[in-house]
Amino acid sequence: MATLPSQVTEASPPDARFAPGPGASAGGESAPAQGAPAFSPLYQQIKGLILRSLQSGEWKPGDVIPSEFDLAARFRVSQGTVRKAIDELATDNLLVRRQGKGTFVATHAEQHIQYRFLRLLPDTGDLDGQGPAERRIIECKRLRASAEVARQLGLRTGDPVFLVRRVLAFAAVPAILEDIWLPGSRFKGLTQETLAEDKGPMYALFESQFGVRMVRAVEKIKAVSADPDVASLLGSQPGTPLLSVERVAYTYNDEPMELRRGLYRTDNRHYRNELS
Amino acid sequence: MATLPSQVTEASPPDARFAPGPGASAGGESAPAQGAPAFSPLYQQIKGLILRSLQSGEWKPGDVIPSEFDLAARFRVSQGTVRKAIDELATDNLLVRRQGKGTFVATHAEQHIQYRFLRLLPDTGDLDGQGPAERRIIECKRLRASAEVARQLGLRTGDPVFLVRRVLAFAAVPAILEDIWLPGSRFKGLTQETLAEDKGPMYALFESQFGVRMVRAVEKIKAVSADPDVASLLGSQPGTPLLSVERVAYTYNDEPMELRRGLYRTDNRHYRNELS
DNA sequence: TAGTGGTCTAGACCACATA
DNA sequence: ATGTGGTCTAGACCACTAC
């Protein structure tokens, strides 16, 4: 796991690298000899370096990254090694390959599969309206993190957070009520207006306005009963069973950046999941 | 998509194959020249051939398959091409690589991550008891498929099916009530006794007793209200919100082999899902 | 010691996109 | 025509497992 500190560098001085020449071991002169080597394959180290450039914002969502050949030169490894690193980043949905065009930083915007993290689908005709037609922001306020919210976001109790509450509707029928908590430090200037004016997925807004890219998320799903407040916002009866979907979304370094609790009506829709 | 009929064969006669010699195109004599070639990369064709051997039962769950080198010889391609085919099958969880030992057919038994398709976890201490401690078979009967069941299993209405109903409990607390429909033709001889005697995951039993390996599944999740019958079986109150989890499980050829409807209590547990 | 998968390189050619 | 990713091969060496 542990990457050898600069076993692979970006090598401003030509040939400043440590590691294998041709054959990853053929060269007799230089070996990865270290005290008690925490070992990691070259392509994993390259993956780490690419990841670092993604985090640092060197390549932004939607950008093309340098070609495999260029990266190979920059990191002083073979193109095949860069390829394997990119392969893994592509299967993690951090990068997207496009034949003949290049490799791109994945984004929540423009991706034709919009609302990538939204799994609530209509019961009939799986291919109809992708995203929710209407989004209504109910409120957006600054407050101090509760112990629970702080824990989930990796903050300290009392740290500033934003709380956004909104309702999503499909074909004028409300279906989702969401409470969203965001760390105040990373979302400075977030307002209800910004959110209301925006079309498209909220995660795309996060990328363009705050430079925060959500990479993966974990959801905990329960069945709950609608209390009167919730029922009135969702236009259903109190006591109606709802799906409670609690999501923690992470940015590049497995850093939690959003806590979201959704309540889903499932009378005409369902949460779809694939197992393998 | 469409595989060239026997562009790659298993080549009993040496050199009976069609395709690229060294370099996949270097050789001037033989080309994949076909009328209107439905094209597919070599490694995809190899993947298909391996898949066929898995379906046919040539290699059974838990078996070692031939080494990459042997397969390369058998299919008359390079080891690297076989490797790429196996890579994809491994990421699909059909095969499992074990360094130094070989590549194995994945199985629901022995896999240390047992109950691979069960996503209901305790709210606290994510690492406690993996599988349900107690399983109680309530009934197992033969009947004729309803239109709905037939549709989901790819059968005709009225075809024979088994219906199994069981309750799973954790630490003596019932948590899941499941109805399971199985095509009668593929599960001949299934009895309540067989099911009751068995320890371990039901999918492991399917492999060992019926030669049916479940490869992937799709779930549709809703929130529902417990009716009195269900409530009494789960030891909860009528009206309690429950997770309804409707699963279709598929065997090798995307052939549906099981329909399952589970009702999950989520007062102390949750359905966990990872998004990426 | 031998056999397996794992890593790394090198080079050739193909398919696709753009200019 | 050029440059990109995609496929295929070949060979070397490493790391792990078993005998």
Side-chain angles (χ1 to χ4, degrees):
Chain A
M1 257 317 132
T3 298
L4 269 185
S6 65
Q7 178 176 349
V8 171
T9 70
E10 305 215 7
S12 317
D15 260 309
R17 213 171 101 264
F18 219 70
S25 50
E29 12 70 320
S30 71
Q34 297 274 345
F39 191 70
S40 157
L42 245 193
Y43 76 89
Q44 289 286 3
Q45 302 178 45
I46 303 303
K47 186 179 172 184
L49 291 175
I50 295 174
L51 212 40
R52 205 211 290 163
S53 291
L54 289 171
Q55 288 175 49
S56 76
E58 179 180 348
W59 308 314
K60 298 193 173 24
D63 284 359
V64 207
I65 71 171
S67 75
E68 296 178 353
F69 189 82
D70 288 350
L71 288 173
R74 167 164 164 181
F75 297 135
R76 304 190 160 274
V77 298
S78 81
Q79 180 256 9
T81 300
V82 170
R83 166 162 280 266
K84 180 144 190 184
I86 292 181
D87 277 344
E88 293 207 349
L89 292 166
T91 61
D92 289 347
N93 291 312
L94 297 184
L95 297 177
V96 177
R97 295 172 170 290
R98 285 185 211 146
Q99 188 174 145
K101 299 175 80 171
T103 300
F104 297 76
V105 182
T107 171
H108 286 272
E110 299 222 62
Q111 235 173 23
H112 274 203
I113 318 103
Q114 280 197 329
Y115 295 93
R116 194 154 56 90
F117 287 176
L118 180 57
R119 302 297 194 90
L120 193 66
L121 300 182
D123 287 339
T124 57
D126 258 13
L127 271 180
D128 85 347
Q130 292 292 32
E134 307 99 43
R135 292 101 45 89
R136 182 163 64 91
I137 310 291
I138 295 177
E139 65 178 347
C140 170
K141 61 183 176 188
R142 251 179 93 91
L143 40 78
R144 305 211 160 267
S146 68
E148 171 64 7
V149 167
R151 188 182 60 79
Q152 303 240 45
L153 288 178
L155 304 175
R156 282 177 312 242
T157 304
D159 280 356
V161 292
F162 288 102
L163 168 58
V164 178
R165 168 169 281 207
R166 66 170 183 173
V167 171
L168 305 183
F170 299 86
V173 180
I176 298 180
L177 169 63
E178 282 182 326
D179 284 329
I180 303 167
W181 288 266
L182 301 164
S185 56
R186 293 293 294 272
F187 289 86
K188 284 190 199 307
L190 181 71
T191 66
Q192 180 157 353
E193 288 67 41
T194 317
L195 291 168
E197 284 162 14
D198 183 66
K199 313 291 186 195
M202 191 179 280
Y203 289 147
L205 178 74
F206 290 172
E207 291 175 1
S208 58
Q209 297 300 306
F210 303 98
V212 173
R213 166 152 171 79
M214 301 300 184
V215 156
R216 65 181 195 93
V218 176
E219 296 191 327
K220 296 181 180 180
I221 304 170
K222 285 170 173 274
V224 300
S225 213
D227 68 33
D229 288 353
V230 168
S232 87
L233 284 166
L234 285 178
S236 58
Q237 297 302 314
T240 302
L242 299 174
L243 235 46
S244 162
V245 180
E246 187 180 294
R247 176 192 301 170
V248 179
Y250 298 84
T251 187
Y252 283 119
N253 232 21
D254 269 350
E255 194 185 354
M257 283 300 287
E258 181 202 59
L259 171 63
R260 184 181 288 221
R261 201 230 186 174
L263 294 171
Y264 295 6
R265 282 183 59 177
T266 56
D267 25 4
N268 290 311
R269 310 183 88 82
H270 62 270
Y271 184 104
R272 183 180 197 275
N273 194 28
E274 299 227 10
L275 309 177
S276 66
Chain B
M1 261 314 130
T3 299
L4 270 187
S6 66
Q7 179 175 350
V8 171
T9 70
E10 303 216 5
S12 317
D15 261 310
R17 213 172 100 263
F18 218 73
S25 50
E29 11 69 323
S30 70
Q34 299 274 345
F39 191 69
S40 155
L42 246 194
Y43 76 88
Q44 289 284 3
Q45 303 179 42
I46 303 303
K47 186 178 172 184
L49 292 176
I50 295 174
L51 213 40
R52 207 211 289 164
S53 292
L54 289 171
Q55 289 176 47
S56 74
E58 178 181 348
W59 309 315
K60 298 194 174 22
D63 283 0
V64 206
I65 72 170
S67 74
E68 296 178 352
F69 189 81
D70 289 350
L71 288 173
R74 167 165 166 181
F75 298 136
R76 305 191 158 273
V77 298
S78 81
Q79 180 256 9
T81 300
V82 171
R83 166 163 278 266
K84 181 146 189 185
I86 292 181
D87 277 345
E88 293 206 349
L89 291 166
T91 60
D92 290 346
N93 291 312
L94 297 185
L95 297 176
V96 178
R97 294 173 171 290
R98 285 187 210 144
Q99 187 175 146
K101 298 174 79 171
T103 299
F104 298 76
V105 182
T107 170
H108 286 272
E110 300 222 63
Q111 236 173 22
H112 274 203
I113 319 103
Q114 282 195 327
Y115 294 93
R116 194 154 57 91
F117 286 177
L118 180 58
R119 301 295 196 92
L120 192 66
L121 299 182
D123 286 340
T124 56
D126 260 13
L127 271 179
D128 87 347
Q130 293 291 33
E134 306 97 45
R135 292 102 45 90
R136 183 163 63 91
I137 310 291
I138 295 177
E139 66 178 347
C140 171
K141 62 183 176 189
R142 252 179 93 91
L143 40 78
R144 306 212 158 267
S146 68
E148 171 63 8
V149 168
R151 188 181 60 79
Q152 303 240 45
L153 288 178
L155 305 174
R156 284 179 310 242
T157 306
D159 280 356
V161 293
F162 287 101
L163 168 58
V164 178
R165 168 170 281 208
R166 67 171 183 173
V167 172
L168 305 182
F170 300 86
V173 180
I176 299 180
L177 169 63
E178 281 182 326
D179 284 329
I180 302 168
W181 288 265
L182 301 164
S185 56
R186 293 293 295 271
F187 289 86
K188 284 190 198 307
L190 182 71
T191 66
Q192 180 157 353
E193 288 67 41
T194 317
L195 291 167
E197 285 162 13
D198 183 66
K199 313 292 185 193
M202 190 180 282
Y203 290 146
L205 178 74
F206 290 172
E207 291 176 0
S208 58
Q209 298 298 307
F210 303 98
V212 174
R213 166 153 172 80
M214 301 302 185
V215 156
R216 65 181 196 92
V218 176
E219 295 191 328
K220 295 182 180 180
I221 304 170
K222 285 170 172 275
V224 300
S225 213
D227 68 32
D229 288 352
V230 168
S232 87
L233 283 166
L234 285 178
S236 58
Q237 297 300 314
T240 303
L242 299 176
L243 235 46
S244 162
V245 180
E246 187 181 293
R247 176 192 301 171
V248 178
Y250 299 83
T251 187
Y252 284 118
N253 232 22
D254 267 350
E255 193 186 352
M257 284 298 287
E258 182 203 58
L259 171 63
R260 184 182 288 221
R261 201 231 185 172
L263 295 170
Y264 296 6
R265 283 184 58 177
T266 56
D267 24 5
N268 290 310
R269 311 182 88 82
H270 62 271
Y271 183 105
R272 183 178 197 275
N273 194 29
E274 299 228 10
L275 308 177
S276 67

